[in-house]
Amino acid sequence: MGNTLTFVRLQLLMFFLLMGSVPFVFSFDGPLYESTAYTECKGQPEKPLYGGGIIVDQPSTVVDKDMGGVYSPAFILQNLTGHGTIYSFSGWVKIGVAGSALIKASLKAEDETYNCIGTVLAKQGCWSFLKGGFVLNSPSNLSILFFQNTDDRDVSIAIASTSLQPFSVQQWNTYQQYMINIKRKRAVTVHVSNEQGKGLQGAAITVKQVSKDFPFGSAISKTILGNLPYQKWFLERFNAVVFENELKWYATEPKQGNVNYTIADRMLQFVRANQIIARGHNIFWEDPKYTPAWVRNLTGNELKSAVNSRIQSLMSKYKEEFIHWDVSNEMLHFDFYEQQLGPNATLDFFETAHKSDPLATLFMNEFNVVETCSDVNSTVDTYISRLRELQQGGVSMDGIGLEGHFTIPNPPLMRAIIDKLATLGLPIWLTEVDISNTLDKEKQAIYLEQVLREGFSHPSVNGIILWTALHPNGCYEMCLTDNNLQNLPAGDVVDNLLKEWQTGKIEVQTDEHGSHSFFGFLGEYRVSVKYGNRTANSTFSLCQGEETRHVSIQL
């Protein structure tokens, strides 16, 4: 492990050197983050990450005399550093009762209590992997890390191969930048030669990135129609979109038989005209509150007929128009259709959607998967269990949709959950990112940046959509601008990150070999070359790859 980490650190230093900037805060002290995760239940636990980190003792029974609590199993942790120190936690869990149980890890520090720092759906007879973490704002001389069953059953819990590894903010950010450099960028060498193949030293090269490979977008609503300033503002920033409400059943068929796609069609025209991609949100919404009132009054064959009509109408009209479909939205929290139509209703939805539009990626979209681990309905293992259940039923389940409606994000928990979901090998999107308006606008901006950096730097995240559709009376939870399109703090964060995650204009001269090398973000590029009175223009694509991309231009 030590040799591997040394090699990785050298790679990281090389990247910064090639980019021409080694930040003064750059440090190799301490281990780099380990993204290892497991979803299968194993006969024996794997070795602890980081060699256990700062956990050196075996778990024991701890009596809290002040609170009158008994924690078992638990770890007593001494002298935890605060000031934003990030702790990554992991361990293997086995229970002593038949079936399965959702086990929660919690932390009681001197000034703070963390109700949930990670969960695992543990099973009898084998070991299940729990991964999570927390951020400690104040130092704690004495803390208790303990495990509990989330229901009322008396469950014996066994813990093995536990690990708690602290990271400074600097170390955490260094790893983010490392992952961005190796997953979101690629080395390019531009060669300039004459017709005889001789490299031309001193040729003037101008390189400009004209589009980005990574989808980064926002929700829009009908308020963007006809609003040219808003459209211009949007298109200067985003290359992906989702309709906030305009495709939902209550919007397209408010009364039975009165199907109207006029607004959605006009929004799709905006998408097509500007060559951006759009997610389809959603075919069904399991929350009865957002199911059309007339649908809630149907039963039996009438409901089944209405459901079939909805999916056939929507999918036939918009076949091949949307890259994704959220098929049965928020099914971990609500189950209106399965209650009414039986346990196979969701299977039928996915099967029909796949047959209707086989090229669209079908997503299981849910909230409180990465936002927290306190919601027992949507823990990471609950999500995985439901997804596998649908796959075993024959569903073409292609995508993991994590809504991302955060209040105060927990970055190590968020990263750990995505690590675990990444083991499934499916594309992961953050589909509805915002920060609660219970926080002031400055705090919203701070936490939004944390979420976006975690998402963009994780190699298994394929796209990010913000939930920031602008209305005259504001946004769902968080706006990027005021109604005059002047940036709010969250808007400044987005603009700064978009600039940071794009290759700036490059204007250089070729070296003695007639070449110039650089690291560029994935996407499409234009390159112009001038040598004496000769000029040439070309384009090239920069897609993910381990090898340097070579671009040859002849004058």
Side-chain angles (χ1 to χ4, degrees):
M1 180 61 74
N3 290 337
T4 301
L5 290 179
T6 300
F7 175 70
V8 170
R9 291 188 181 106
L10 290 173
Q11 278 188 312
L12 180 53
L13 181 59
M14 178 188 71
F15 271 101
F16 276 114
L17 290 172
L18 284 173
M19 293 170 66
S21 62
V22 181
F24 71 91
V25 296
F26 192 83
S27 171
F28 288 93
D29 294 337
L32 292 177
Y33 179 81
E34 290 193 30
S35 60
T36 304
Y38 306 89
T39 53
E40 67 272 27
C41 203
K42 295 196 172 191
Q44 296 295 328
E46 298 288 338
K47 293 180 179 179
L49 302 184
Y50 314 102
I54 62 174
I55 290 182
V56 295
D57 298 322
Q58 294 299 310
S60 60
T61 298
V62 177
V63 179
D64 185 345
K65 295 180 180 178
D66 295 330
M67 301 299 293
V70 178
Y71 306 102
S72 181
F75 294 92
I76 294 179
L77 306 172
Q78 296 180 334
N79 302 321
L80 296 184
T81 56
H83 310 295
T85 301
I86 298 162
Y87 289 86
S88 179
F89 174 73
S90 63
W92 291 83
V93 180
K94 183 170 68 172
I95 59 171
V97 296
S100 62
L102 185 63
I103 305 301
K104 174 177 70 174
S106 304
L107 181 85
K108 186 179 183 300
E110 286 179 320
D111 296 330
E112 299 175 85
T113 297
Y114 300 80
N115 180 52
C116 187
I117 64 169
T119 60
V120 67
L121 193 60
K123 299 176 182 178
Q124 183 193 37
C126 60
W127 294 89
S128 301
F129 186 66
L130 184 154
K131 193 175 190 183
F134 57 94
V135 178
L136 197 61
N137 295 311
S138 302
S140 180
N141 293 324
L142 192 65
S143 306
I144 302 171
L145 195 161
F146 58 98
F147 303 82
Q148 294 174 308
N149 181 29
T150 57
D151 61 34
D152 295 329
R153 289 182 298 159
D154 184 15
V155 174
S156 63
I157 303 170
I159 306 295
S161 295
T162 49
S163 171
L164 184 66
Q165 179 61 49
F167 296 90
S168 68
V169 173
Q170 170 189 332
Q171 291 165 344
W172 196 258
N173 294 345
T174 294
Y175 181 81
Q176 286 181 335
Q177 191 59 53
Y178 168 66
M179 294 309 299
I180 289 171
N181 286 343
I182 65 171
K183 295 299 182 180
R184 308 295 182 201
K185 303 177 80 172
R186 187 174 173 184
V188 185
T189 298
V190 178
H191 304 272
V192 181
S193 64
N194 60 19
E195 293 181 351
Q196 289 73 42
K198 179 183 178 182
L200 299 176
Q201 181 178 2
I205 297 177
T206 301
V207 181
K208 184 177 181 182
Q209 185 177 7
V210 294
S211 69
K212 300 176 182 180
D213 185 59
F214 187 85
F216 189 101
S218 172
I220 59 172
S221 73
K222 61 184 179 183
T223 57
I224 204 168
L225 298 174
N227 189 335
L228 297 182
Y230 184 20
Q231 292 179 12
K232 180 176 183 294
W233 175 91
F234 187 94
L235 295 169
E236 286 174 349
R237 288 161 174 81
F238 301 124
N239 60 0
V241 71
V242 68
F243 301 171
E244 187 178 41
N245 299 311
E246 287 76 7
L247 278 174
K248 292 169 183 173
W249 199 356
Y250 65 72
T252 62
E253 194 178 1
K255 293 183 179 180
Q256 188 171 11
N258 293 342
V259 181
N260 189 337
Y261 294 115
T262 303
I263 293 174
D265 284 346
R266 291 178 62 196
M267 293 171 71
L268 190 57
Q269 286 179 341
F270 168 74
V271 169
R272 288 199 204 101
N274 293 286
Q275 300 174 325
I276 54 181
I277 58 174
R279 302 190 72 248
H281 177 78
N282 50 54
I283 303 175
F284 297 107
W285 196 345
E286 291 289 345
D287 189 345
K289 184 167 62 174
Y290 298 109
T291 302
W294 65 267
V295 174
R296 294 198 301 268
N297 293 327
L298 300 178
T299 58
N301 288 334
E302 288 184 338
L303 177 59
K304 191 170 184 179
S305 176
V307 161
N308 290 337
S309 177
R310 158 69 175 174
I311 196 168
Q312 294 292 352
S313 169
L314 186 70
M315 300 302 287
S316 61
K317 179 172 180 59
Y318 293 117
K319 182 179 181 180
E320 299 178 351
E321 296 283 7
F322 294 95
I323 62 167
H324 303 161
W325 279 106
D326 294 330
V327 177
S328 191
N329 200 45
E330 299 175 355
M331 68 173 78
L332 295 182
H333 287 89
F334 311 101
D335 60 352
F336 171 78
Y337 293 100
E338 289 199 352
Q339 286 285 343
Q340 300 297 318
L341 298 174
N344 291 328
T346 306
L347 282 168
D348 293 339
F349 294 164
F350 275 91
E351 288 172 355
T352 305
H354 179 64
K355 290 176 183 176
S356 301
D357 194 353
L359 296 182
T361 305
L362 305 184
F363 270 68
M364 184 173 153
N365 196 50
E366 193 58 71
F367 67 92
N368 278 355
V369 181
V370 291
E371 295 95 319
T372 178
C373 62
S374 296
D375 188 340
V376 297
N377 292 306
S378 52
T379 66
V380 59
D381 286 330
T382 306
Y383 187 103
I384 291 170
S385 177
R386 184 69 168 117
L387 187 147
R388 283 176 167 163
E389 181 183 297
L390 290 168
Q391 287 179 323
Q392 290 166 3
V395 160
S396 175
M397 174 68 69
D398 303 315
I400 294 170
L402 308 174
E403 291 184 12
H405 295 292
F406 290 88
T407 302
I408 299 177
N410 180 349
L413 176 67
M414 178 182 176
R415 187 183 291 183
I417 288 170
I418 298 176
D419 286 345
K420 204 164 185 180
L421 291 168
T423 64
L424 302 178
L426 297 174
I428 299 171
W429 280 57
L430 304 181
T431 58
E432 305 181 16
V433 174
D434 61 16
I435 307 295
S436 170
N437 61 19
T438 59
L439 304 172
D440 62 44
K441 290 180 172 53
E442 286 71 25
K443 284 285 178 58
Q444 282 184 320
I446 291 169
Y447 293 140
L448 177 65
E449 182 170 357
Q450 290 181 4
V451 170
L452 295 181
R453 287 192 182 277
E454 280 300 328
F456 187 71
S457 64
H458 201 291
S460 295
V461 173
N462 285 19
I464 299 174
I465 303 288
L466 303 170
W467 204 251
T468 51
L470 186 61
H471 298 270
N473 59 344
C475 306
Y476 175 68
E477 289 283 347
M478 181 188 74
C479 286
L480 300 181
T481 73
D482 61 21
N483 282 340
N484 295 317
L485 300 177
Q486 298 301 305
N487 268 9
L488 298 170
D492 286 337
V493 163
V494 170
D495 283 355
N496 290 337
L497 289 178
L498 287 172
K499 183 178 180 181
E500 180 181 327
W501 295 337
Q502 178 168 338
T503 307
K505 188 177 182 180
I506 298 171
E507 294 180 303
V508 294
Q509 291 190 338
T510 54
D511 60 19
E512 65 271 21
H513 304 290
S515 303
H516 175 71
S517 298
F518 66 95
F519 276 77
F521 283 95
L522 306 181
E524 301 294 320
Y525 286 80
R526 281 201 298 263
V527 55
S528 300
V529 179
K530 184 175 182 181
Y531 186 78
N533 60 357
R534 288 173 285 174
T535 61
N537 298 301
S538 185
T539 62
F540 66 91
S541 297
L542 198 56
C543 55
Q544 193 165 3
E546 301 292 332
E547 300 174 339
T548 300
R549 174 79 159 88
H550 288 267
V551 178
S552 297
I553 297 176
Q554 192 176 87
L555 289 172

